[in-house]
Amino acid sequence: MNKLTISQVAKQGGVNLQTIRYYERQGLLAPISRTEAGYRIYQKDTVRRLRFIKRAQELGFSLSEIKDLLYLRLDAHTTSADIRVRAQAKLADVEQKIRHLEAIQKSLSRLIKSCRGCGPAADCPILENLDGEDFP
Amino acid sequence: MNKLTISQVAKQGGVNLQTIRYYERQGLLAPISRTEAGYRIYQKDTVRRLRFIKRAQELGFSLSEIKDLLYLRLDAHTTSADIRVRAQAKLADVEQKIRHLEAIQKSLSRLIKSCRGCGPAADCPILENLDGEDFP
DNA sequence: CTAAACCCTGTACTAAGGTATAGAGTCAAG
DNA sequence: CTTGACTCTATACCTTAGTACAGGGTTTAG
């Protein structure tokens, strides 16, 4: 048998059962058919797709971006270059976030250095800085 | 006059009027009093506090953390060291996020390098990797 | 035959940080 | 006195990625 119920898919994919239905609503995952009673029927392949989704998420892709990737893959006109473009855009995205966080890191480090950590909070250079006026 | 209406505060603070009320609900900002009709009355000081909130947000603090900072500052027992501890925790937090994103960056870069960008999507090493099985 | 275990749909809830709208009251100018 | 600008509260909506529950139908084991 190659057929799976929703709970088997969830268990094998390591996700919550509700998540499967959620992915279906989001257009990421569909059962191949239904039983007469309306129960969803899946193939073994679905577990593979779940893994695809999880890995892409780990790389920072959102569900809607992952949906795009999945549809791109289905389209015979899609080339390897098309996929690479998505990956490059995501990389640029991630690098942007890193730069932003590094700027925050620098500011925080500077503030922490400026604070000797003694005296009342009223004199704390960190709070003074947040208050504005004086510091850059 | 040192009194401000809600829309004056919003304009001077560069935020939406609704945001002022939202911050009040979150315990970050309170009017000094109300008119007989129930209109909020603020001081000039409120604009300073708004600036405090915005700067702290830029440093990656959440509103609830900012609320903590504000209450800490009000407490006469709070020392400069208490504030520094918060800043250090936030710095650790930010550095953790940077490391996470750098790991993603590495994986994406590796995948992009592995893809020559030609041929059909079916042969794309990026998609193959997401599918699993072979690659780490 | 019945109870447990499963499945269905639809809805509501979570975090965070707001934004928008409805319906009502208030205030100042002309 | 009316119009427009302002304010009030309460509620709903947005994003993302799910989770939970209610109320019902189905399937399977004993």
Side-chain angles (χ1 to χ4, degrees):
Chain A
M1 278 307 192
N2 191 22
K3 316 274 164 155
L4 298 173
T5 65
I6 189 168
S7 66
Q8 288 168 336
V9 167
K11 186 165 276 182
Q12 288 183 35
V15 302
N16 192 300
L17 185 139
Q18 309 275 37
T19 304
I20 307 287
R21 295 201 268 247
Y22 174 68
Y23 285 171
E24 183 175 341
R25 283 202 299 282
Q26 302 304 315
L28 289 158
L29 207 59
I32 43 166
S33 66
R34 299 266 189 150
T35 67
E36 282 185 17
Y39 286 23
R40 290 169 180 83
I41 302 170
Y42 299 93
Q43 300 165 279
K44 265 256 179 290
D45 215 51
T46 305
V47 180
R48 233 163 92 92
R49 175 168 289 212
L50 264 184
R51 206 163 43 229
F52 181 99
I53 295 170
K54 282 174 104 178
R55 295 206 187 191
Q57 275 188 310
E58 281 162 16
L59 289 177
F61 288 94
S62 70
L63 288 186
S64 102
E65 288 166 336
I66 294 169
K67 184 176 158 187
D68 284 353
L69 286 177
L70 288 167
Y71 281 104
L72 270 175
R73 185 158 68 155
L74 285 181
D75 182 352
H77 300 308
T78 301
T79 63
S80 192
D82 294 328
I83 302 297
R84 201 170 64 158
V85 162
R86 305 292 152 128
Q88 278 168 337
K90 182 48 63 183
L91 178 60
D93 216 67
V94 166
E95 285 173 345
Q96 169 78 51
K97 278 183 188 143
I98 291 173
R99 279 193 298 276
H100 182 219
L101 285 172
E102 281 173 346
I104 293 176
Q105 180 191 28
K106 229 172 257 169
S107 296
L108 276 173
S109 297
R110 191 169 52 73
L111 283 177
I112 290 167
K113 246 179 242 156
S114 77
C115 172
R116 296 178 339 283
C118 56
D123 301 336
C124 180
I126 297 175
L127 291 180
E128 269 169 30
N129 177 261
L130 289 173
D131 257 342
E133 248 76 80
D134 28 316
F135 249 85
Chain B
M1 279 307 190
N2 191 22
K3 316 275 164 156
L4 298 173
T5 65
I6 189 168
S7 66
Q8 288 168 335
V9 167
K11 186 166 277 180
Q12 289 184 35
V15 302
N16 192 299
L17 185 139
Q18 308 276 36
T19 304
I20 306 287
R21 295 201 267 247
Y22 174 68
Y23 285 172
E24 183 176 340
R25 282 201 300 283
Q26 302 304 315
L28 289 159
L29 207 58
I32 42 165
S33 66
R34 299 268 189 149
T35 68
E36 281 185 18
Y39 286 23
R40 291 168 179 83
I41 303 170
Y42 299 93
Q43 300 166 280
K44 265 255 179 287
D45 216 50
T46 305
V47 179
R48 232 163 93 92
R49 174 168 289 212
L50 263 184
R51 206 163 42 229
F52 181 98
I53 295 170
K54 283 173 104 178
R55 295 206 188 190
Q57 276 188 309
E58 281 163 16
L59 289 177
F61 288 93
S62 70
L63 288 185
S64 101
E65 288 166 337
I66 294 169
K67 184 176 158 189
D68 284 353
L69 286 176
L70 289 167
Y71 281 104
L72 270 176
R73 184 158 68 157
L74 286 181
D75 181 351
H77 300 306
T78 301
T79 63
S80 193
D82 294 330
I83 302 297
R84 201 170 62 158
V85 162
R86 299 303 210 279
Q88 278 168 337
K90 183 48 64 182
L91 177 59
D93 215 67
V94 166
E95 286 173 345
Q96 169 78 52
K97 277 183 188 142
I98 291 174
R99 279 193 297 276
H100 182 218
L101 286 173
E102 280 173 347
I104 292 176
Q105 181 191 28
K106 227 172 260 169
S107 296
L108 276 172
S109 298
R110 190 169 53 73
L111 282 177
I112 290 167
K113 245 179 242 156
S114 77
C115 172
R116 297 180 337 285
C118 55
D123 301 335
C124 180
I126 298 175
L127 291 180
E128 268 169 31
N129 176 261
L130 289 173
D131 256 341
E133 249 75 81
D134 28 317
F135 249 85

Coordinates of all heavy atoms in Angstrom, one line a residue, chain B residues 8-75:
Chain B
Q8 N -1.4 66.1 18.9 CA -0.2 66.8 18.9 C 1.0 65.9 19.3 O 2.1 66.0 18.7 CB -0.3 68.0 19.9 CG -1.2 69.1 19.4 CD -1.5 70.1 20.5 OE1 -1.5 69.8 21.7 NE2 -1.9 71.3 20.1
V9 N 0.8 65.1 20.3 CA 1.8 64.1 20.7 C 2.2 63.2 19.6 O 3.3 63.0 19.3 CB 1.3 63.3 21.9 CG1 2.2 62.1 22.2 CG2 1.2 64.1 23.2
A10 N 1.1 62.7 18.9 CA 1.4 61.8 17.8 C 2.2 62.5 16.7 O 3.2 61.9 16.2 CB 0.0 61.3 17.2
K11 N 1.8 63.7 16.4 CA 2.5 64.4 15.3 C 3.9 64.7 15.7 O 4.9 64.4 15.0 CB 1.8 65.7 15.0 CG 2.3 66.5 13.8 CD 1.4 67.6 13.3 CE 0.4 67.0 12.4 NZ -0.5 68.1 11.8
Q12 N 4.1 65.2 16.9 CA 5.5 65.5 17.4 C 6.3 64.3 17.5 O 7.6 64.3 17.4 CB 5.4 66.3 18.7 CG 4.9 67.7 18.4 CD 4.9 68.6 19.7 OE1 5.8 68.4 20.6 NE2 3.9 69.4 19.9
G13 N 5.7 63.2 17.9 CA 6.5 61.9 18.1 C 6.6 61.2 16.8 O 7.4 60.2 16.7
G14 N 6.0 61.6 15.7 CA 6.1 60.9 14.5 C 5.4 59.6 14.4 O 5.9 58.7 13.7
V15 N 4.4 59.4 15.2 CA 3.7 58.1 15.2 C 2.2 58.3 14.9 O 1.7 59.4 15.0 CB 3.9 57.3 16.5 CG1 5.3 57.0 16.8 CG2 3.2 58.0 17.6
N16 N 1.6 57.2 14.6 CA 0.1 57.3 14.4 C -0.6 57.5 15.7 O -0.2 57.1 16.7 CB -0.3 55.9 13.8 CG -1.7 55.9 13.3 OD1 -2.6 56.1 14.0 ND2 -1.8 55.6 12.0
L17 N -1.7 58.2 15.6 CA -2.5 58.5 16.7 C -3.0 57.3 17.5 O -3.0 57.2 18.7 CB -3.7 59.4 16.3 CG -4.7 59.9 17.3 CD1 -5.1 61.3 16.9 CD2 -5.9 59.0 17.4
Q18 N -3.3 56.3 16.7 CA -3.8 55.0 17.3 C -2.6 54.4 18.1 O -2.9 53.6 19.1 CB -4.2 54.0 16.2 CG -5.2 54.6 15.2 CD -6.6 54.5 15.7 OE1 -6.8 54.7 16.9 NE2 -7.5 54.3 14.8
T19 N -1.4 54.6 17.7 CA -0.3 54.0 18.3 C -0.2 54.5 19.7 O 0.2 53.8 20.7 CB 1.0 54.3 17.5 OG1 0.8 53.9 16.2 CG2 2.2 53.6 18.1
I20 N -0.5 55.8 19.9 CA -0.4 56.4 21.3 C -1.4 55.6 22.2 O -1.0 55.2 23.3 CB -0.8 57.8 21.2 CG1 0.0 58.6 20.2 CG2 -0.7 58.5 22.6 CD1 1.4 58.9 20.6
R21 N -2.6 55.4 21.7 CA -3.5 54.7 22.6 C -3.1 53.3 22.8 O -3.3 52.7 23.8 CB -4.9 54.8 21.9 CG -5.4 56.2 21.9 CD -6.9 56.3 21.7 NE -7.4 56.4 20.3 CZ -7.9 57.5 19.8 NH1 -8.1 58.6 20.5 NH2 -8.3 57.5 18.5
Y22 N -2.5 52.7 21.7 CA -2.1 51.3 21.8 C -1.0 51.2 22.9 O -1.0 50.3 23.7 CB -1.5 50.8 20.5 CG -0.9 49.5 20.5 CD1 -1.6 48.4 20.7 CD2 0.5 49.4 20.3 CE1 -1.0 47.1 20.8 CE2 1.1 48.1 20.3 CZ 0.4 47.0 20.6 OH 1.0 45.8 20.6
Y23 N 0.0 52.2 22.9 CA 1.0 52.2 23.9 C 0.4 52.3 25.3 O 0.9 51.8 26.3 CB 2.0 53.3 23.6 CG 3.0 53.0 22.5 CD1 3.8 54.0 22.0 CD2 3.0 51.7 21.9 CE1 4.7 53.7 20.9 CE2 3.8 51.5 20.8 CZ 4.7 52.5 20.3 OH 5.5 52.2 19.3
E24 N -0.6 53.1 25.4 CA -1.2 53.3 26.7 C -1.8 51.9 27.2 O -1.6 51.6 28.3 CB -2.4 54.3 26.6 CG -3.0 54.6 27.9 CD -4.1 55.7 27.8 OE1 -4.0 56.5 26.8 OE2 -4.9 55.8 28.7
R25 N -2.5 51.3 26.3 CA -3.0 49.9 26.7 C -1.9 49.0 27.1 O -2.1 48.1 28.0 CB -3.8 49.3 25.5 CG -5.2 49.9 25.3 CD -6.1 48.9 24.5 NE -5.6 48.6 23.1 CZ -5.6 49.4 22.1 NH1 -6.2 50.6 22.2 NH2 -5.2 49.0 20.9
Q26 N -0.8 49.1 26.5 CA 0.4 48.2 26.8 C 1.1 48.7 28.0 O 2.1 48.1 28.4 CB 1.3 48.2 25.6 CG 0.7 47.7 24.3 CD 0.0 46.3 24.5 OE1 0.6 45.4 25.0 NE2 -1.2 46.2 23.9
G27 N 0.7 49.8 28.6 CA 1.3 50.3 29.8 C 2.6 51.0 29.6 O 3.5 51.1 30.5
L28 N 2.8 51.6 28.4 CA 4.1 52.2 28.1 C 4.0 53.7 28.2 O 5.0 54.4 28.3 CB 4.5 51.9 26.7 CG 5.0 50.5 26.4 CD1 4.8 50.2 24.9 CD2 6.4 50.3 26.8
L29 N 2.8 54.2 28.3 CA 2.6 55.7 28.1 C 1.2 56.0 28.7 O 0.2 55.3 28.4 CB 2.5 55.9 26.6 CG 2.9 57.3 26.1 CD1 4.3 57.6 26.5 CD2 2.7 57.3 24.6
A30 N 1.2 57.0 29.6 CA -0.2 57.4 30.1 C -0.3 58.9 30.1 O 0.7 59.6 30.3 CB -0.3 56.9 31.5
P31 N -1.5 59.4 29.8 CA -1.7 60.8 29.9 C -1.7 61.3 31.4 O -2.0 60.5 32.3 CB -3.1 61.0 29.3 CG -3.8 59.6 29.5 CD -2.7 58.6 29.5
I32 N -1.2 62.5 31.6 CA -1.2 63.0 33.0 C -2.6 63.1 33.6 O -2.8 63.0 34.7 CB -0.4 64.3 33.2 CG1 -0.8 65.3 32.0 CG2 1.1 64.1 33.3 CD1 -0.3 66.7 32.4
S33 N -3.5 63.5 32.7 CA -4.9 63.6 33.2 C -5.9 63.6 32.0 O -5.5 63.3 30.9 CB -5.1 64.8 34.1 OG -5.0 66.0 33.3
R34 N -7.1 63.9 32.3 CA -8.1 64.0 31.3 C -8.9 65.3 31.4 O -9.0 65.8 32.6 CB -9.1 62.8 31.4 CG -8.5 61.5 31.3 CD -8.6 61.0 29.9 NE -8.2 59.6 29.8 CZ -8.7 58.7 28.9 NH1 -9.6 59.1 28.0 NH2 -8.3 57.5 28.8
T35 N -9.5 65.8 30.4 CA -10.4 66.9 30.5 C -11.7 66.4 31.0 O -11.9 65.2 31.1 CB -10.6 67.6 29.1 OG1 -11.4 66.6 28.3 CG2 -9.3 67.9 28.4
E36 N -12.6 67.3 31.3 CA -13.9 66.9 31.8 C -14.6 66.0 30.8 O -15.4 65.1 31.1 CB -14.8 68.1 32.1 CG -14.4 68.8 33.4 CD -15.4 69.9 33.8 OE1 -16.5 70.0 33.2 OE2 -15.0 70.7 34.6
A37 N -14.4 66.3 29.5 CA -15.0 65.4 28.5 C -14.3 64.1 28.2 O -14.7 63.3 27.4 CB -15.0 66.2 27.2
G38 N -13.2 63.9 29.0 CA -12.5 62.6 28.8 C -11.4 62.7 27.9 O -10.7 61.6 27.6
Y39 N -11.0 63.8 27.3 CA -9.9 63.9 26.4 C -8.6 63.8 27.1 O -8.4 64.3 28.2 CB -9.9 65.3 25.7 CG -11.0 65.5 24.7 CD1 -12.1 64.7 24.7 CD2 -10.8 66.4 23.6 CE1 -13.1 64.9 23.7 CE2 -11.8 66.6 22.7 CZ -13.0 65.8 22.7 OH -13.9 66.0 21.8
R40 N -7.7 63.0 26.5 CA -6.4 62.8 27.2 C -5.5 64.1 27.1 O -5.5 64.8 26.1 CB -5.6 61.7 26.4 CG -6.2 60.3 26.6 CD -5.5 59.3 25.7 NE -6.0 58.0 25.9 CZ -7.1 57.5 25.3 NH1 -7.9 58.3 24.6 NH2 -7.5 56.3 25.5
I41 N -4.8 64.3 28.2 CA -3.9 65.5 28.3 C -2.5 65.0 28.5 O -2.3 64.2 29.5 CB -4.3 66.5 29.4 CG1 -5.7 66.9 29.2 CG2 -3.3 67.6 29.5 CD1 -6.3 67.7 30.4
Y42 N -1.6 65.4 27.7 CA -0.2 65.0 27.9 C 0.7 66.2 28.2 O 0.4 67.4 27.9 CB 0.3 64.3 26.6 CG -0.4 63.1 26.2 CD1 -1.5 63.2 25.4 CD2 -0.1 61.9 26.7 CE1 -2.3 62.0 25.0 CE2 -0.8 60.7 26.4 CZ -1.9 60.8 25.6 OH -2.6 59.7 25.2
Q43 N 1.9 65.9 28.7 CA 3.0 66.9 28.8 C 3.9 66.8 27.7 O 4.0 65.8 27.0 CB 3.8 66.6 30.1 CG 3.0 66.6 31.4 CD 3.9 65.9 32.4 OE1 4.0 64.7 32.5 NE2 4.6 66.8 33.2
K44 N 4.8 67.8 27.5 CA 5.9 67.8 26.6 C 6.8 66.6 26.7 O 7.3 66.0 25.8 CB 6.8 69.0 26.7 CG 6.4 70.2 25.8 CD 7.4 70.3 24.7 CE 7.1 71.5 23.7 NZ 6.0 71.2 22.9
D45 N 6.9 66.2 28.0 CA 7.7 65.0 28.4 C 7.3 63.7 27.6 O 8.2 62.9 27.4 CB 7.5 64.8 29.9 CG 8.7 64.3 30.5 OD1 9.8 65.0 30.3 OD2 8.7 63.3 31.2
T46 N 6.1 63.7 27.3 CA 5.6 62.4 26.6 C 6.3 62.2 25.3 O 6.5 61.1 24.9 CB 4.1 62.6 26.4 OG1 3.4 62.8 27.6 CG2 3.5 61.3 25.8
V47 N 6.6 63.3 24.6 CA 7.3 63.2 23.3 C 8.7 62.6 23.5 O 9.1 61.7 22.7 CB 7.4 64.6 22.7 CG1 8.1 64.5 21.3 CG2 6.0 65.2 22.5
R48 N 9.3 63.0 24.6 CA 10.6 62.4 25.0 C 10.5 60.9 25.2 O 11.3 60.1 24.8 CB 11.0 63.1 26.3 CG 12.4 63.6 26.3 CD 12.5 64.6 27.5 NE 13.1 63.9 28.6 CZ 14.4 63.9 28.9 NH1 15.3 64.4 28.1 NH2 14.8 63.2 30.0
R49 N 9.4 60.5 25.9 CA 9.2 59.1 26.2 C 9.0 58.3 24.9 O 9.5 57.2 24.7 CB 8.1 58.9 27.1 CG 7.8 57.4 27.3 CD 6.9 57.1 28.4 NE 7.5 57.3 29.7 CZ 7.2 56.6 30.8 NH1 6.3 55.7 30.7 NH2 7.8 56.9 31.9
L50 N 8.3 58.9 24.0 CA 8.0 58.3 22.7 C 9.4 58.1 22.0 O 9.6 57.0 21.4 CB 7.2 59.2 21.8 CG 5.7 58.9 21.8 CD1 5.0 59.8 20.8 CD2 5.4 57.4 21.4
R51 N 10.2 59.1 22.1 CA 11.5 58.9 21.4 C 12.3 57.8 22.1 O 13.0 57.0 21.4 CB 12.3 60.3 21.5 CG 13.3 60.4 20.4 CD 13.7 61.9 20.3 NE 13.9 62.5 21.6 CZ 13.4 63.7 21.9 NH1 12.7 64.3 21.1 NH2 13.7 64.2 23.1
F52 N 12.2 57.7 23.4 CA 12.9 56.6 24.2 C 12.4 55.3 23.6 O 13.2 54.4 23.3 CB 12.5 56.7 25.6 CG 13.1 55.7 26.5 CD1 14.2 56.0 27.3 CD2 12.5 54.4 26.6 CE1 14.8 55.0 28.1 CE2 13.1 53.5 27.5 CZ 14.2 53.8 28.2
I53 N 11.1 55.2 23.4 CA 10.5 53.9 23.0 C 11.1 53.6 21.6 O 11.5 52.4 21.3 CB 9.0 54.0 22.9 CG1 8.5 54.1 24.4 CG2 8.4 52.8 22.3 CD1 7.0 54.4 24.5
K54 N 11.1 54.6 20.7 CA 11.5 54.3 19.3 C 13.0 53.9 19.3 O 13.4 53.0 18.5 CB 11.3 55.6 18.5 CG 9.9 55.8 18.1 CD 9.7 57.1 17.4 CE 9.5 56.9 15.9 NZ 9.3 58.3 15.2
R55 N 13.8 54.6 20.1 CA 15.2 54.2 20.0 C 15.5 52.8 20.6 O 16.3 52.1 20.1 CB 16.0 55.2 20.9 CG 16.0 56.6 20.3 CD 17.2 57.4 20.7 NE 17.0 58.8 20.3 CZ 18.0 59.7 20.3 NH1 19.2 59.3 20.7 NH2 17.7 60.9 19.9
A56 N 14.8 52.5 21.6 CA 14.9 51.2 22.2 C 14.5 50.1 21.2 O 15.1 49.1 21.0 CB 14.1 51.0 23.5
Q57 N 13.4 50.4 20.4 CA 12.9 49.5 19.4 C 14.0 49.3 18.3 O 14.2 48.2 17.8 CB 11.7 50.1 18.7 CG 10.4 49.7 19.5 CD 9.2 50.1 18.7 OE1 9.1 51.2 18.2 NE2 8.2 49.2 18.6
E58 N 14.6 50.4 18.0 CA 15.7 50.3 17.0 C 16.8 49.5 17.4 O 17.6 48.9 16.6 CB 16.2 51.7 16.6 CG 15.3 52.5 15.7 CD 15.6 54.0 15.7 OE1 16.7 54.4 16.2 OE2 14.7 54.8 15.2
L59 N 17.0 49.4 18.8 CA 18.1 48.5 19.3 C 17.5 47.1 19.5 O 18.2 46.2 20.1 CB 18.6 49.1 20.6 CG 19.4 50.3 20.5 CD1 19.8 50.8 21.9 CD2 20.7 50.0 19.7
G60 N 16.4 46.8 19.0 CA 15.9 45.4 19.0 C 15.1 45.0 20.3 O 14.7 43.9 20.4
F61 N 14.8 46.0 21.2 CA 14.0 45.7 22.3 C 12.5 45.6 21.9 O 12.0 46.4 21.1 CB 14.1 46.8 23.4 CG 15.4 46.7 24.1 CD1 16.5 47.5 23.7 CD2 15.6 45.9 25.2 CE1 17.7 47.5 24.3 CE2 16.9 45.9 25.8 CZ 17.9 46.7 25.4
S62 N 11.8 44.6 22.5 CA 10.4 44.5 22.2 C 9.6 45.5 23.1 O 10.2 46.0 24.1 CB 9.9 43.1 22.5 OG 9.9 42.9 23.9
L63 N 8.4 45.8 22.8 CA 7.6 46.7 23.6 C 7.6 46.3 25.1 O 7.6 47.1 26.0 CB 6.2 46.9 23.1 CG 6.1 47.6 21.8 CD1 4.6 47.9 21.4 CD2 6.8 49.0 21.9
S64 N 7.5 45.0 25.3 CA 7.4 44.5 26.7 C 8.7 44.7 27.4 O 8.7 45.0 28.6 CB 6.8 43.1 26.8 OG 7.8 42.2 27.0
E65 N 9.8 44.5 26.7 CA 11.1 44.8 27.3 C 11.3 46.3 27.6 O 11.9 46.7 28.6 CB 12.2 44.3 26.4 CG 12.3 42.8 26.3 CD 13.1 42.3 25.2 OE1 13.3 43.0 24.2 OE2 13.6 41.2 25.3
I66 N 10.8 47.1 26.7 CA 10.9 48.5 26.9 C 10.0 49.0 28.1 O 10.5 49.8 28.9 CB 10.4 49.3 25.6 CG1 11.3 49.0 24.4 CG2 10.3 50.8 25.8 CD1 10.8 49.4 23.1
K67 N 8.9 48.4 28.2 CA 8.1 48.6 29.4 C 8.9 48.3 30.7 O 8.9 49.1 31.6 CB 6.8 47.8 29.3 CG 5.8 48.0 30.4 CD 4.6 47.1 30.2 CE 3.8 46.9 31.4 NZ 2.8 45.9 31.2
D68 N 9.6 47.2 30.7 CA 10.4 46.8 31.8 C 11.4 47.9 32.1 O 11.6 48.3 33.2 CB 11.1 45.5 31.5 CG 10.2 44.3 31.7 OD1 9.1 44.5 32.1 OD2 10.7 43.2 31.3
L69 N 12.1 48.4 31.0 CA 13.1 49.4 31.2 C 12.5 50.7 31.8 O 13.1 51.3 32.7 CB 13.7 49.7 29.8 CG 14.7 48.7 29.2 CD1 15.1 49.2 27.8 CD2 15.9 48.6 30.1
L70 N 11.3 51.0 31.3 CA 10.7 52.2 31.8 C 10.4 52.1 33.3 O 10.6 53.0 34.1 CB 9.4 52.5 31.0 CG 9.7 53.0 29.6 CD1 8.4 53.0 28.8 CD2 10.3 54.4 29.6
Y71 N 9.9 50.9 33.7 CA 9.5 50.7 35.1 C 10.8 50.6 36.0 O 10.8 51.1 37.1 CB 8.6 49.5 35.3 CG 7.2 49.8 34.9 CD1 6.6 49.4 33.7 CD2 6.4 50.6 35.8 CE1 5.3 49.7 33.4 CE2 5.1 50.9 35.4 CZ 4.5 50.4 34.2 OH 3.3 50.7 33.9
L72 N 11.8 50.0 35.4 CA 13.0 49.9 36.1 C 13.6 51.3 36.5 O 14.0 51.6 37.6 CB 14.1 49.2 35.3 CG 14.2 47.7 35.4 CD1 15.2 47.2 34.4 CD2 14.6 47.3 36.8
R73 N 13.4 52.2 35.5 CA 14.0 53.5 35.6 C 13.2 54.3 36.7 O 13.8 55.1 37.4 CB 13.8 54.3 34.3 CG 14.5 55.6 34.4 CD 14.8 56.1 33.0 NE 13.6 56.4 32.3 CZ 13.6 57.2 31.2 NH1 14.7 57.8 30.8 NH2 12.4 57.4 30.6
L74 N 12.0 54.0 36.9 CA 11.2 54.7 37.9 C 11.5 54.2 39.3 O 11.3 55.0 40.3 CB 9.7 54.4 37.7 CG 9.1 55.1 36.5 CD1 7.6 54.8 36.4 CD2 9.3 56.6 36.6
D75 N 12.0 53.0 39.4 CA 12.3 52.4 40.7 C 13.6 53.0 41.2 O 14.7 52.8 40.6 CB 12.4 50.9 40.6 CG 12.6 50.2 41.9 OD1 12.9 50.9 42.9 OD2 12.6 49.0 41.9

